[in-house]
Amino acid sequence: MTAARGSKTNQMSEPVSLELSFLRAFSPLDGLKNENLRALARKTTLRELAQGRLLFKEGDTDKRTYYLASGVIELLTDGRIVGTIRGGTPDARHPIAPVLPRRCSARVASDHIEYLSIDSDLLDVLLTWDQTGTYEVGELRAGNGNGTADDWMTMLLQSRAFHRIPPANLQAVFMRMQRINVNAGDNVIRQGAEGDYFYVIVSGRCTVSRETPLNREGIKLAELGMGETFGEEALISGARRNATVTMLTDGALMRLGKDDFNTLLNEPMLHWADYEQAKAMIAAGGRWLDVRLPSEFEHCHFEQAINVPLYFVRLKLKTLDPSLRYVVVCDNGRRSSAATYVLTERGFDAYVLKGGIEATDLADSLINLDN
C-alpha cells in the first residue's frame, strides 16, 4: 500500500499528505463523499513506529482511530499474544481494536509499521454528516472556486463544541442558513442594536470593537476570519449587541436567525450546573469565571473567582487555562450563558451556574467588599 510520503525516521515520522485513493483502502473511509474525505485528509496523519514499540496499551481511553497501513502488529491481552494484523490484508481495512477502553495492547512486530491516526470524534461527525446530509449544499459552498470554499463548514464540523450537536440539528442549521455578500467597511452588527442573527464567516475578515465613554472610536476586541463566528452573545442573553462588527475586506457570511440559533445550536451546546454541582467542580480543581462588570464583581464575588466581563471574553481567551473546568457566573445566568457558549465553542470545558447569583443563597461563599 503506497501514498505520497516524506522522509521517515526509525521512531515516528512527521505527518504526510495523503491521497484520497489511499484513504479509500480503509473502512468506513471508503464510504465518505470526496469533500468530506478531503476534510478528513487535512486532519489525518501517516506515521511510522519502530519494532517493539506500543501503538496503544490495554485499557487506554484515548479517542483515536488507528489503521495499519504496512508492517505487522501483535495484539496482546494480559501480556499474551491473542492475534496479529498485517498491513494490506482484509483485517487491516478496519480500525484496530476500536472499542474503548482498549481490550488489548498493540505492539509492533515487524521492523517498523506505518499507521493512520485519526481523531475519532471528527471521524464520527463527518460520517454522520455524510450520511444525514441528504440535500445539496452546493449553494452554501459557492465561493471563490479555488477548492477551499467549503472550509468554513469543515472548521465548524471539526469544532469539539459542534460534536455535541445532534446530526439532525446540524442538517437543519445548514438548510436554514442564508448567505449574504458584504463589502469592506460594512457594519454587520452595531453596538446597542437588537440581536437578530448568528453569523459564520465564509470568506473575508472583520474586526470586533466596543465603544466606551472614554473611546468613541471603539476598542478593538478581536479580528475574525474564515470559519469563525460572531453574534451569539445577544441572542443567548436577550440583551442588545455589546460590540460592533465591521468588515475589513470584501467577503461572504452565512447567517442563522435567532429562533433557529437558540433551538438548534445554543440549547445542545450548553452544560448547566446547580450550586451544589458547581461547588463540587470547584472543589475538584475548577475555577469560578465571573462575567459581570468589574463594578459588580468588586461589590461581591466568589472567593478566588476570575473576572472577565462578557464583552472581553473573546479577547481574554488566551489568558484562560484550557485544562481547567470553568463554572461561569453572572447575576441571573443570561450573560454567563452567552460566555459559556463562546468558551465551549472554542474547546473549553465550561458550565453555566443555573439561575446565577440571584437564584442562590451565597452569603457564606461570596466576598462582599463593601463591608
Side-chain angles (χ1 to χ4, degrees):
M1 187 175 294
T2 60
R5 296 186 173 92
S7 60
K8 301 285 192 270
T9 68
N10 288 332
Q11 299 298 323
M12 185 172 287
S13 68
E14 292 299 315
V16 174
S17 298
L18 302 174
E19 298 176 357
L20 300 193
S21 58
F22 175 76
L23 293 176
R24 290 197 187 283
F26 302 99
S27 176
L29 309 188
D30 54 348
L32 285 172
K33 296 183 177 68
N34 283 339
E35 60 267 26
N36 290 325
L37 192 59
R38 276 193 291 268
L40 186 67
R42 288 194 290 270
K43 293 291 183 178
T44 301
T45 58
L46 178 68
R47 297 183 179 275
E48 279 191 357
L49 198 61
Q51 187 174 34
R53 300 290 297 275
L54 290 178
L55 183 59
F56 53 77
K57 295 181 180 179
E58 185 176 356
D60 280 356
T61 57
D62 187 29
K63 291 185 178 181
R64 307 294 301 180
T65 297
Y66 296 102
Y67 292 95
L68 181 63
S70 66
V72 180
I73 61 170
E74 298 169 332
L75 303 179
L76 303 95
T77 300
D78 296 329
R80 295 180 295 104
I81 297 175
V82 295
T84 60
I85 301 176
R86 183 178 298 275
T89 64
D91 285 344
R93 279 181 42 80
H94 304 282
I96 305 168
V99 176
L100 296 181
R102 307 282 182 188
R103 297 178 178 176
C104 60
S105 300
R107 183 175 64 193
V108 181
S110 53
D111 178 62
H112 71 277
I113 64 168
E114 292 177 308
Y115 67 96
L116 294 175
S117 174
I118 302 174
D119 183 304
S120 298
D121 284 336
L122 172 60
L123 176 58
D124 183 61
V125 166
L126 288 175
L127 285 168
T128 304
W129 173 247
D130 195 276
Q131 294 167 29
T132 60
T134 56
Y135 58 92
E136 288 297 325
V137 294
E139 181 179 348
L140 298 184
R141 292 189 173 122
N144 53 20
N146 64 2
T148 62
D150 63 341
D151 282 357
W152 68 273
M153 297 179 69
T154 300
M155 291 176 71
L156 285 182
L157 292 173
Q158 289 174 355
S159 164
R160 289 198 175 276
F162 271 70
H163 295 172
R164 299 181 181 179
I165 298 171
N169 285 32
L170 285 176
Q171 182 175 358
V173 165
F174 290 117
M175 288 181 69
R176 298 181 191 183
M177 276 183 162
Q178 301 171 321
R179 181 188 177 97
I180 60 172
N181 295 318
V182 286
N183 301 315
D186 287 351
N187 286 326
V188 182
I189 61 176
R190 291 181 181 274
Q191 184 175 333
E194 295 283 353
D196 49 5
Y197 291 101
F198 164 74
Y199 294 90
V200 183
I201 302 173
V202 176
S203 63
R205 299 195 64 78
C206 63
T207 183
V208 183
S209 61
R210 178 176 173 80
E211 180 182 320
T212 70
L214 299 178
N215 191 329
R216 295 296 181 183
E217 296 299 317
I219 300 171
K220 182 178 178 180
L221 301 178
E223 186 173 315
L224 307 176
M226 183 189 66
E228 295 190 273
T229 62
F230 61 89
E232 63 274 15
E233 289 97 333
L235 304 188
I236 299 171
S237 66
R240 293 182 179 272
R241 298 291 192 187
N242 61 19
T244 295
V245 177
T246 306
M247 294 303 301
L248 293 174
T249 67
D250 293 346
L253 307 172
M254 300 301 299
R255 67 184 188 182
L256 185 68
K258 179 178 181 177
D259 290 343
D260 286 335
F261 169 81
N262 282 320
T263 301
L264 300 172
L265 291 183
N266 180 31
E267 291 178 9
M269 191 88 84
L270 295 183
H271 286 325
W272 299 79
D274 61 29
Y275 183 46
E276 293 303 318
Q277 292 170 326
K279 286 195 297 183
M281 293 178 189
I282 301 304
R287 293 296 299 272
W288 295 110
L289 179 61
D290 194 317
V291 295
R292 296 174 299 158
L293 295 173
S295 58
E296 297 173 282
F297 181 80
E298 290 169 5
H299 170 65
C300 62
H301 59 259
F302 286 110
E303 187 176 1
Q304 297 184 337
I306 304 168
N307 181 217
V308 181
L310 174 59
Y311 56 82
F312 275 137
V313 166
R314 292 178 186 272
L315 186 65
K316 298 293 186 179
L317 284 174
K318 292 183 180 179
T319 68
L320 300 177
D321 186 345
S323 68
L324 295 180
R325 172 174 289 174
Y326 291 94
V327 180
V328 188
V329 301
C330 68
D331 49 355
N332 56 24
R334 295 172 73 182
R335 283 178 287 175
S336 51
S337 296
T340 302
Y341 182 97
V342 173
L343 292 169
T344 302
E345 189 180 33
R346 279 134 181 97
F348 286 86
D349 186 12
Y351 289 73
V352 188
L353 178 62
K354 191 179 300 181
I357 292 172
E358 293 178 356
T360 316
D361 180 9
L362 305 181
D364 61 333
S365 301
L366 287 173
I367 297 176
N368 191 326
L369 300 184
D370 289 345
N371 295 329

